[in-house]
């Protein structure tokens, strides 16, 4: 690998997915340039076709009114079904195991109503320390809701002293040692802060062997990492679609429930009419009859305008395929790591990459720790059109994504980082 414009251009010329960039709006930087956009892990860019699809729904609404539920081009009543096949492919699930619905934190609560059932000594929830705050609030409030004590019932996995990420063997040992007390394991597939991708297969297997329910928050894994939730024996999962899936701000979430749970009669559930058997839903019967699939967790009819943009993006995921996307993601990630290390060496400025280097332990994201002047560097980068994100106290997160990032973006970022380092050195001289 080389940190040169020629080498980056060559990598782009040999990229079989390069054409997908033209399907997205890249935010402009000034009148003639484009932003170097590295926050597909936070909000994915807009697929150009999203507007066309949303306008079609608005037109159907204008022309058909309520009859759009049945007669729209994509009828609104079963609208969520338009997403099922793609979501099943992305999650490695049976179609009956996934549904596009609700929002992520809401869905985690709904799923925990069914799958966090503390009993006797078995009442703890195992999670990562520094899980995303919304997850921590959700987990603690579930424990409190069941009369438990969040201080003692939330078991948080800590990295070893001096390390930033968790070792799979430590996670597995903790599960085995505490299996009689753990009622639920809830981890993120990819940690939002460090970018570490957990060994979901190995951890889910151990959870199953130890008869412990396991759920995954896939906010940072969906559309980023190839998943096989059915094979891995995952009990449940949920994700959002505004990050790697490019569904747009606040876009609909999705849920996975393993088929082994679909016909269980003793499962607790907060029910709503959209989870009720489709053939009798409009008879408005008194008693809830769950659809024998993940759809049973739906409460409400689908928010059409809030979902449509995701269809545009899923078309692109289906065309590109997760295998090719992952191959390019790994190359982008390696190139970014290489460029950052080169710059650190040349400039003498210490930049610590806390995301694991091992291929299966990371996705698109790299988390860079700058022990000195991190925020000042970040601000200079932003002013130069680099869109990354800053997380207190000292991390810059960057995620080059395979659908629209180029190797050239990484080279240009390198140049801007060198400039920012020079500027901060001058200021501090
Ligand atoms: C890991 C993780 N969990 C939960 C959330 C909360 O998502 P929402 O606001 O869609 O519920 C986020 C949001 O970025 C996240 O990254």
């Amino acid at each position: 690998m080389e940190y040169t414009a020629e080498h980056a251009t060559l990598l782009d010329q040999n990229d079989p997915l390069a054409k997908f960039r033209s399907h997205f709006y890249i935010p402009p930087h000034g009148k003639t340039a484009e932003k170097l956009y590295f926050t597909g892990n936070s909000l994915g860019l807009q697929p150009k076709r999203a507007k066309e699809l949303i306008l079609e729904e608005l037109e159907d609404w204008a022309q058909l009114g309520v009859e759009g539920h049945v007669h729209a081009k994509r009828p609104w009543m079963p609208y969520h079904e338009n997403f099922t096949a793609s979501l099943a492919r992305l999650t490695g699930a049976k179609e009956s195991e996934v549904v596009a619905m609700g929002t992520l934190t809401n869905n985690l609560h709904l799923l925990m109503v069914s799958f966090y059932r503390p009993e006797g000594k078995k009442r703890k929830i195992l999670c990562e320390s520094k899980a995303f705050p919304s997850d921590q609030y959700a987990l603690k409030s579930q424990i409190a809701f069941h009369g438990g004590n969040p201080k003692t019932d939330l078991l948080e996995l800590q990295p070893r002293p001096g390390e930033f990420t968790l070792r799979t063997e430590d996670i597995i040992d903790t599960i085995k040692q505490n299996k009689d007390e753990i009622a639920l394991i809830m981890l993120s597939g990819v940690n939002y802060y460090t970018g570490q991708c957990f060994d979901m297969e190995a951890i889910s297997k151990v959870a199953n062997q130890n008869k412990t329910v396991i759920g995954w928050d896939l906010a940072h894994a969906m559309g980023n990492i190839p998943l096989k939730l059915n094979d891995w024996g995952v009990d449940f999962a949920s994700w959002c679609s505004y990050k790697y899936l490019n569904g747009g701000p606040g876009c609909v979430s999705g849920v996975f429930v393993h088929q082994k749970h679909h016909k269980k009669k003793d499962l607790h559930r907060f029910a709503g009419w959209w989870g009720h058997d489709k053939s009798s839903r409009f008879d408005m019967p008194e008693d809830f009859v769950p659809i024998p699939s993940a759809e049973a967790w739906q409460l409400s009819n689908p928010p059409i305008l809030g979902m449509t943009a995701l269809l545009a993006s899923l078309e692109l995921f289906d065309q590109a395929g997760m295998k090719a996307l992952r191959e390019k993601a790994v190359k982008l990630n390696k190139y970014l790591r290489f460029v950052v290390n080169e710059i650190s060496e040349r400039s003498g400025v210490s930049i610590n990459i806390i995301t694991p280097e091992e291929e299966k332990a990371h996705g698109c994201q790299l988390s860079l720790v700058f022990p000195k002047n991190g925020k000042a560097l970040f601000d200079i980068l932003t002013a130069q059109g680099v869109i990354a994100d800053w997380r207190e106290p000292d991390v810059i997160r960057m995620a080059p994504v395979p659908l629209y990032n180029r190797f050239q973006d990484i080279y240009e970022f390198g140049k801007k980082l060198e400039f920012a380092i020079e500027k901060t050195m001058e200021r501090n001289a």
Side-chain angles (χ1 to χ4, degrees):
M1 265 187 283
E2 288 169 29
Y3 171 36
T4 61
E6 293 72 28
H7 184 68
T9 306
L10 193 69
L11 292 173
D12 284 323
Q13 281 166 353
N14 291 328
D15 169 16
L17 300 183
K19 61 174 190 270
F20 283 95
R21 180 177 169 88
S22 66
H23 291 283
F24 289 88
Y25 289 109
I26 312 293
H29 181 59
K31 292 220 165 85
T32 52
E34 289 172 336
K35 298 277 189 205
L36 297 176
Y37 196 83
F38 294 110
T39 42
N41 58 341
S42 180
L43 183 74
L45 290 179
Q46 184 185 140
K48 289 184 180 160
R49 212 167 112 67
K51 199 181 285 175
E52 181 188 323
L53 292 180
I54 292 172
L55 287 175
E56 277 178 16
E57 300 306 343
L58 287 173
E59 187 56 20
D60 277 349
W61 182 20
Q63 297 303 325
L64 298 167
V66 72
E67 294 192 306
H69 283 301
V70 178
H71 297 302
K73 185 171 173 199
R74 288 172 292 275
W76 301 328
M77 203 126 65
Y79 199 80
H80 57 280
E81 294 173 16
N82 291 305
F83 301 80
T84 306
S86 303
L87 294 179
R89 276 189 283 279
L90 287 170
T91 49
K94 308 255 184 232
E95 291 194 10
S96 65
E97 292 175 318
V98 288
V99 58
M101 62 175 265
T103 56
L104 173 53
T105 309
N106 282 353
N107 287 342
L108 290 175
H109 275 300
L110 288 176
L111 291 162
M112 282 192 276
V113 164
S114 301
F115 295 110
Y116 175 52
R117 307 296 309 167
E119 245 185 77
K121 255 177 70 188
K122 217 168 155 65
R123 16 192 358 103
K124 293 193 174 162
I125 302 181
L126 181 70
C127 70
E128 316 132 81
S129 70
K130 287 206 185 163
F132 191 80
S134 194
D135 293 19
Q136 306 224 20
Y137 307 149
L139 298 177
K140 286 182 184 166
S141 61
Q142 282 284 334
I143 290 171
F145 177 72
H146 285 280
N149 179 353
K151 289 207 167 73
T152 50
D153 290 347
L154 193 66
L155 198 56
E156 296 187 55
L157 291 154
Q158 304 280 353
R160 292 187 188 186
E163 297 186 7
F164 289 97
T165 50
L166 291 166
R167 297 195 192 189
T168 307
E169 70 257 34
D170 291 352
I171 301 175
I172 287 176
D173 284 350
T174 309
I175 296 173
K176 287 183 179 164
Q177 281 160 18
N178 297 279
K179 66 178 167 38
D180 296 333
E181 297 191 345
I182 298 175
L184 170 66
I185 303 165
M186 250 272 312
L187 296 168
S188 62
V190 174
N191 181 276
Y192 82 101
Y193 190 80
T194 63
Q196 176 181 21
C197 175
F198 294 112
D199 189 337
M200 290 178 257
E201 178 173 11
I203 297 167
S204 302
K205 196 168 146 201
V206 173
N208 283 330
Q209 284 163 350
N210 288 280
K211 302 204 174 350
T212 304
V213 179
I214 181 147
W216 292 94
D217 173 346
L218 300 175
H220 285 263
M222 185 64 167
N224 177 13
I225 304 288
L227 301 164
K228 291 191 176 168
L229 302 184
N230 174 279
D231 282 357
W232 297 343
V234 169
D235 289 292
F236 69 90
S238 186
W239 54 87
C240 54
S241 59
Y242 42 79
K243 297 178 188 294
Y244 294 96
L245 288 192
N246 314 306
C251 187
V252 71
S253 164
V255 155
F256 165 90
V257 179
H258 200 282
Q259 62 184 2
K260 64 190 168 192
H261 299 299
H262 293 177
K263 292 192 180 145
K264 282 190 179 159
K265 294 259 184 298
D266 57 347
L267 218 53
H268 288 72
R269 184 188 277 114
F270 281 174
W273 74 318
W274 227 253
H276 181 93
D277 170 43
K278 291 175 200 179
S279 64
S280 61
R281 185 188 285 145
F282 284 90
D283 300 342
M284 309 286 180
E286 265 181 39
D287 291 325
F288 178 76
V289 178
I291 303 168
S293 77
E295 289 190 22
W297 275 264
Q298 297 172 110
L299 298 184
S300 304
N301 73 103
I304 310 304
L305 297 176
M307 298 170 95
T308 309
L310 181 58
L311 276 183
S313 177
L314 291 181
E315 284 175 6
L316 299 174
F317 272 92
D318 283 334
Q319 283 167 33
M322 206 51 216
K323 185 168 176 291
L325 287 165
R326 172 65 177 164
E327 277 165 21
K328 178 173 172 189
V330 168
K331 287 184 189 155
L332 286 167
N333 188 280
K334 279 202 168 82
Y335 193 50
L336 178 58
R337 186 181 283 273
F338 170 79
V339 166
V340 168
N341 285 337
E342 278 282 304
I343 292 170
S344 174
E345 213 166 280
R346 285 184 197 182
S347 64
V349 168
S350 143
I351 309 172
N352 190 3
I353 301 177
I354 60 171
T355 310
E357 188 164 4
E358 192 194 350
E359 197 170 301
K360 64 178 195 170
H362 69 76
C364 293
Q365 179 178 327
L366 269 198
S367 299
L368 315 176
V369 170
F370 290 83
K372 269 169 72 182
N373 301 323
K375 186 64 172 59
L377 284 164
F378 177 78
D379 290 341
I380 298 172
L381 287 168
T382 308
Q384 291 184 93
V386 175
I387 307 293
D389 82 17
W390 173 257
R391 282 282 174 274
E392 294 295 345
D394 52 11
V395 167
I396 295 180
R397 300 186 310 166
M398 301 186 59
V401 302
L403 272 176
Y404 49 76
N405 279 115
R406 301 167 302 186
F407 293 90
Q408 188 192 332
D409 296 345
I410 294 172
Y411 169 77
E412 287 177 19
F413 159 73
K415 289 286 140 196
K416 290 178 194 297
L417 178 60
E418 284 188 285
F419 172 82
I421 287 173
E422 265 172 42
K423 281 272 164 222
T424 47
M425 279 179 167
E426 274 167 31
R427 274 188 210 163
N428 297 332

